[in-house]
Amino acid sequence: MASVGDESCQTYSGASERMSEEIMAVSPEDPGENEISRLNFIKVAVGGMCLAYAAAVGYPIYRYLNSPVQREAALSAVKDVTLAGADKLEKGAVLLFKFGPYPSMLIHHKDDSWVAFDAVCTHLGCTVQYHPEQDKIVCACHGGVYDSHTGANVSGPPPKPLTRFQIKVANGAVTVTRA
Amino acid sequence: MSKVYDYLDERLSISELKKFAGKKTVPLHKYSFWYYWGGISLLCFLIQLVTGILLIIYYKPGPDAYNSVRSLTYDVDFGWLIRSAHSWSATIFLVSVFVHMFSVYFMKAYRKPREFGWWSGMALLILGLLFGFSGYLLPMDQLSFVATKVGLAIPENIPLVGHTIANLMRGGLEVSEITVQRFFAWHAVVLPLLYLPLLMFHLFLVQKHGNAIPPSEEDVPMEKRKSIPFFPNFILKDLAMWLVTLNAIALVASLFPPDLGKVTDPLGPAPAGVHPEWYFMSSFETLKLIGKVIPGMLGEAAGITIFTLGLVLWCLVPFFDTSSPKGRNGRYATYFGIFCLGVLLVTTLLGYVAG
């Protein structure tokens, strides 16, 4: 069936006006030409019907399979997340949290500065980890290293720095905001 | 295009296959319409295969069964439609299988050399009914819970081993989430694994022996019999029937999606007017009727014995109808068929009217 549709697409590229022009252009004295256009018409009609059926069956299946993707996409649209009690995080410690669907990290540095990053390695998407003793963010998958203050990719395969979030430390909570 | 065709043809002998299919013929007579019902069943089965795989993507057997079906039906985009298509194609599958079986029976297509076609078909029907029974529990709502409890009372009545069989099927003394897990394994793994090779065997036999002609056509002299080529004529007609079936399923599935009842309450009493799916209605009603004549477990046992004997007789029909088309045994087989069809229809109707 698909081959019928393909052929007809090559012949007509789906323009019905062109077809009616051709049917009208056929003079009654020329029955042979008429036959061909009738055959082509059937080919286009059958091909079109097959496409319509494939779309009518395929669209609900696509939406069905895509449903959780859509829900997560809606989740990832969140602009900020409030981490209750995170202000109590000790110096030199890290807190992993979910920002929308993605893992993210909040670091309270020894110099009392706060920083938050997207914890997904920019190389191949592994979740990175904070090493307080070296004060580095490291990805165990392929040895990527990031600066723990700026998120800059320092060595290894990561092509880009980690996305950095804005932070507001208040009494009782830390609010992380996407720029 | 032709280059691709040549490439494939040299390696896969497509043109030989086409030549072979073109030589095959399908008899043309006033009962030819009934030849399509096997194909319709096949399409319904394929739709169930596809929608079943799609449902597995969200369905969770076990304690989460009800909630996963609820979220699949009401939260997932078009989940209601996939579930509805699965359920409706199951119904239409069984309708077409029954039509196929009775048309084969009355056209006497079970006669030599097609006995194995008949037996494999009967095995496929039984597997189809088991598909229905095991699938019905999976949403784990109140109705499916009760229906499964009642249905499992049937193997319970088998002498000596009944209890053990029923307990093994349930995975306990009562229907529970362990039962759902087991039924899911049956429904989605065991039954398909049994069904698919049997279906291949059935289709192989159809292709080997060709379509049977009914006795009335056997009287027509060879030169006066009509036929059409299997490819492309019959295939195209078959595809047209598939299209009609697909449209019918799409229509009923969109307009009448199945509901989801209340969550199973193991302590809740059986709801009033509880009845099984239509394809078990006949046996349900017959058991009820026999129970009125012979009360107690004896009636139940009598009913199950009658069903089993009837089924065995039905399967063995190629042995007692070996006669020529107009012979006496042939006529008895037809009467037996009419009797069975009558009993099925009347008890099913009674079940709905009385229920």
Side-chain angles (χ1 to χ4, degrees):
Chain A
M1 276 310 181
S3 67
V4 174
D6 292 345
E7 254 172 65
S8 56
C9 281
Q10 281 165 16
T11 325
Y12 271 110
S13 53
S16 58
E17 292 126 68
R18 274 184 59 194
M19 177 130 53
S20 56
E21 268 170 37
E22 189 161 325
I23 290 169
M24 278 165 67
V26 174
S27 57
E29 305 92 67
D30 199 350
E33 190 95 359
N34 197 4
E35 279 302 301
I36 290 166
S37 57
R38 188 179 297 165
L39 183 66
N40 276 335
F41 173 76
I42 288 169
K43 279 183 177 177
V44 171
V46 169
M49 248 171 61
C50 287
L51 280 180
Y53 267 93
V57 171
Y59 178 72
I61 292 180
Y62 166 73
R63 287 281 307 272
Y64 177 79
L65 293 175
N66 196 51
S67 211
V69 182
Q70 232 169 1
R71 218 167 307 154
E72 287 223 325
L75 260 183
S76 70
V78 282
K79 285 272 177 264
D80 52 62
V81 56
T82 302
L83 307 165
D87 59 320
K88 307 278 186 304
L89 194 67
E90 284 175 27
K91 285 181 189 172
V94 63
L95 172 74
L96 276 151
F97 62 97
K98 270 196 160 187
F99 200 158
Y102 305 113
S104 308
M105 57 170 45
L106 175 73
I107 303 171
H108 189 186
H109 281 297
K110 286 180 180 141
D111 61 7
D112 205 21
S113 64
W114 293 78
V115 67
F117 300 111
D118 186 9
V120 178
C121 181
T122 56
H123 177 220
L124 290 174
C126 294
T127 301
V128 296
Q129 50 188 301
Y130 175 58
H131 284 182
E133 61 283 359
Q134 295 148 18
D135 199 18
K136 277 180 192 160
I137 296 172
V138 176
C139 176
C141 285
H142 304 97
V145 180
Y146 300 90
D147 185 299
S148 68
H149 291 264
T150 62
N153 41 331
V154 181
S155 70
K160 282 189 297 187
L162 293 173
T163 306
R164 195 174 163 177
F165 303 128
Q166 286 166 0
I167 302 181
K168 213 164 95 188
V169 185
N171 204 8
V174 174
T175 305
V176 181
T177 315
R178 207 188 295 277
Chain B
M1 222 35 218
S2 72
K3 267 191 183 164
V4 176
Y5 181 82
D6 290 344
Y7 176 90
L8 294 175
D9 191 29
E10 277 169 30
R11 287 152 184 86
L12 305 171
S13 323
I14 299 171
S15 52
E16 251 174 62
L17 217 78
K18 259 169 95 175
K19 223 161 93 187
F20 174 73
K23 265 194 224 152
K24 280 176 72 74
T25 57
V26 175
L28 195 66
H29 48 77
K30 61 178 171 179
Y31 302 113
S32 289
F33 171 70
W34 303 103
Y35 288 148
Y36 295 107
W37 289 87
I40 293 173
S41 323
L42 179 63
L43 172 73
C44 291
F45 177 74
L46 293 176
I47 293 176
Q48 280 171 96
L49 205 67
V50 173
T51 51
I53 291 169
L54 288 171
L55 288 174
I56 289 178
I57 290 170
Y58 293 108
Y59 178 71
K60 294 175 190 151
D64 292 335
Y66 179 83
N67 276 331
S68 71
V69 176
R70 197 192 47 71
S71 115
L72 176 136
T73 311
Y74 301 114
D75 301 339
V76 175
D77 290 335
F78 287 104
W80 63 273
L81 184 61
I82 306 285
R83 182 171 164 235
S84 181
H86 192 70
S87 153
W88 274 107
S89 60
T91 289
I92 297 174
F93 168 75
L94 282 168
V95 170
S96 55
V97 163
F98 275 114
V99 173
H100 179 50
M101 179 185 76
F102 278 107
S103 66
V104 163
Y105 188 91
F106 288 119
M107 288 208 266
K108 301 189 179 295
Y110 49 73
R111 288 174 304 170
K112 191 185 166 191
R114 295 187 175 81
E115 293 98 324
F116 280 92
W118 176 249
W119 294 326
S120 57
M122 286 307 296
L124 287 171
L125 168 67
I126 291 167
L127 288 179
L129 290 171
L130 288 176
F131 262 119
F133 182 64
S134 56
Y136 195 65
L137 176 68
L138 300 186
M140 214 36 184
D141 63 3
Q142 193 64 24
L143 198 61
S144 66
F145 177 73
V146 173
T148 306
K149 271 176 88 146
V150 175
L152 281 175
I154 289 177
E156 193 97 50
N157 277 290
I158 302 171
L160 300 173
V161 289
H163 267 304
T164 313
I165 290 178
N167 285 343
L168 283 178
M169 284 174 84
R170 270 191 298 257
L173 301 172
E174 265 291 357
V175 174
S176 67
E177 59 259 22
I178 295 172
T179 321
V180 189
Q181 189 94 31
R182 281 180 191 214
F183 273 41
F184 178 69
W186 276 99
H187 190 77
V189 182
V190 180
L191 291 175
L193 278 179
L194 296 174
Y195 195 93
L196 281 167
L198 203 57
L199 177 64
M200 292 300 145
F201 177 63
H202 192 70
L203 293 175
F204 160 74
L205 289 175
V206 174
Q207 118 75 26
K208 179 165 172 55
H209 296 302
N211 293 58
I213 53 169
S216 61
E217 276 297 298
E218 280 174 351
D219 294 341
V220 178
M222 268 298 186
E223 63 276 8
K224 282 198 177 163
R225 290 185 196 172
K226 285 188 217 152
S227 66
I228 55 169
F230 176 75
F231 184 85
N233 305 44
F234 184 76
I235 282 285
L236 281 178
K237 286 186 175 196
D238 222 12
L239 282 177
M241 287 304 272
W242 277 29
L243 209 57
V244 172
T245 311
L246 183 67
N247 288 345
I249 291 174
L251 193 72
V252 288
S254 335
L255 292 180
F256 310 107
D259 222 348
L260 184 65
K262 283 196 185 123
V263 66
T264 304
D265 171 13
L267 299 178
V274 63
H275 63 77
E277 284 289 85
W278 63 270
Y279 42 87
F280 290 126
M281 189 54 120
S282 169
S283 42
F284 173 78
E285 187 59 26
T286 312
L287 278 181
K288 246 165 95 175
L289 288 176
I290 294 173
K292 278 180 189 161
V293 185
I294 318 169
M297 290 319 266
L298 194 65
E300 198 89 359
I304 290 162
T305 311
I306 290 171
F307 290 148
T308 314
L309 277 180
L311 188 67
V312 169
L313 265 184
W314 190 253
C315 287
L316 294 184
V317 69
F319 288 126
F320 62 80
D321 177 17
T322 51
S323 61
S324 61
K326 295 214 163 150
R328 181 175 297 197
N329 290 343
R331 243 179 307 158
Y332 287 152
T334 308
Y335 298 151
F336 180 59
I338 293 170
F339 171 74
C340 289
L341 182 60
V343 168
L344 271 184
L345 289 176
V346 168
T347 47
T348 304
L349 278 177
L350 259 181
Y352 279 101
V353 174

